[in-house]
Amino acid sequence: EDQVTQSPEALRLQEGESSSLNCSYTVSGLRGLFWYRQDPGKGPEFLFTLYSAGEEKEKERLKATLTKKESFLHITAPKPEDSATYLCAATSSGGSYIPTFGRGTSLIVHP
Amino acid sequence: KAGVTQTPRYLIKTRGQQVTLSCSPISGHRSVSWYQQTPGQGLQFLFEYFSETQRNKGNFPGRFSGRQFSNSRSEMNVSTLELGDSALYLCASRSAGGTDTQYFGPGTRLTVL
């Protein structure tokens, strides 16, 4: 059974304090690894798709990386507006295109 | 391109009633998936429709059903509502061109009293 586990569940940072969120995945052949940002009461907003180990993608203060077992979302010099829940999901090559989602990391950035 | 749209955004129903939610995917996207999101269970997959056919189904009771129209718009129906059906219902669309990246709508907040 495919599994995606995110850690930590919650993270509090001071503005400017860089950190990383972890996403560990167990799928039968990774097809794609996805990161989303979700604000309270809203739908997840797509951030990145990663396909192979060693791949990296960046957007503003966010950088996503991928290894054969996990993905990291690095947040550099975060601002209060980066506060949100970050969701990770993975699809497997042997199955459907339906992703398995992690429970998310709730990030709060204090000014 | 316009994003995924969902209507209505908020709904309040009572137990035993039924409800229909609507989703319009991104133009050109033929796959539409539905999810239920609650604080306790996270994002749970309901079903996926592609070219008017249900292609995948999650582990939900038969009270949850859906359909897709020829223009790729989709509806989800929940009959005989229960208190536990209160949730954020999310629709996501995907292009059929080999990518499996899903794009989500804003969601419909359903409250069952």
Side-chain angles (χ1 to χ4, degrees), chain A residues 31-32 34 36 38 41-46 49 51 87 91-92 96-99 101-103, chain B residues 33 35 37 39-43 45 48 56 88 90 94 98-106:
Chain A
R31 193 205 317 261
F34 312 90
Y36 293 87
Q38 186 174 25
K42 298 187 177 181
E45 174 191 346
F46 170 72
T49 302
Y51 291 106
L87 296 168
T91 50
S92 64
S96 68
Y97 284 91
I98 306 304
F101 278 86
R103 297 298 298 271
Chain B
S33 295
Y35 294 84
Q37 188 176 38
Q41 299 295 324
L43 261 173
F45 171 71
E48 180 200 19
N56 292 288
L88 181 67
L90 293 161
R94 178 176 66 83
T99 174
D100 43 354
T101 298
Q102 292 189 330
Y103 297 89
F104 285 84

Side-chain angles (χ1 to χ4, degrees), chain A:
Chain A
E1 183 183 342
D2 295 343
Q3 279 194 315
V4 174
T5 303
Q6 292 188 247
S7 62
E9 289 186 16
L11 181 63
R12 291 177 179 268
L13 299 173
Q14 287 298 126
E15 185 172 1
E17 179 187 2
S18 301
S19 187
S20 296
L21 313 183
N22 177 265
C23 171
S24 297
Y25 62 89
T26 305
V27 299
S28 49
L30 180 72
R31 193 205 317 261
L33 189 291
F34 312 90
W35 283 99
Y36 293 87
R37 168 196 170 124
Q38 186 174 25
D39 293 302
K42 298 187 177 181
E45 174 191 346
F46 170 72
L47 293 173
F48 305 108
T49 302
L50 303 168
Y51 291 106
S52 56
E55 189 175 0
E56 299 181 352
K57 288 191 177 176
E58 286 187 68
K59 178 181 178 181
E60 295 179 356
R61 295 177 293 282
L62 300 177
K63 179 180 176 180
T65 62
L66 181 65
T67 73
K68 289 187 178 180
K69 293 183 179 180
E70 55 194 351
S71 177
F72 293 93
L73 184 65
H74 307 277
I75 305 177
T76 302
K79 298 182 178 181
E81 53 262 43
D82 294 323
S83 297
T85 294
Y86 291 85
L87 296 168
C88 172
T91 50
S92 64
S93 58
S96 68
Y97 284 91
I98 306 304
T100 299
F101 278 86
R103 297 298 298 271
T105 292
S106 174
L107 172 66
I108 297 176
V109 182
H110 296 285

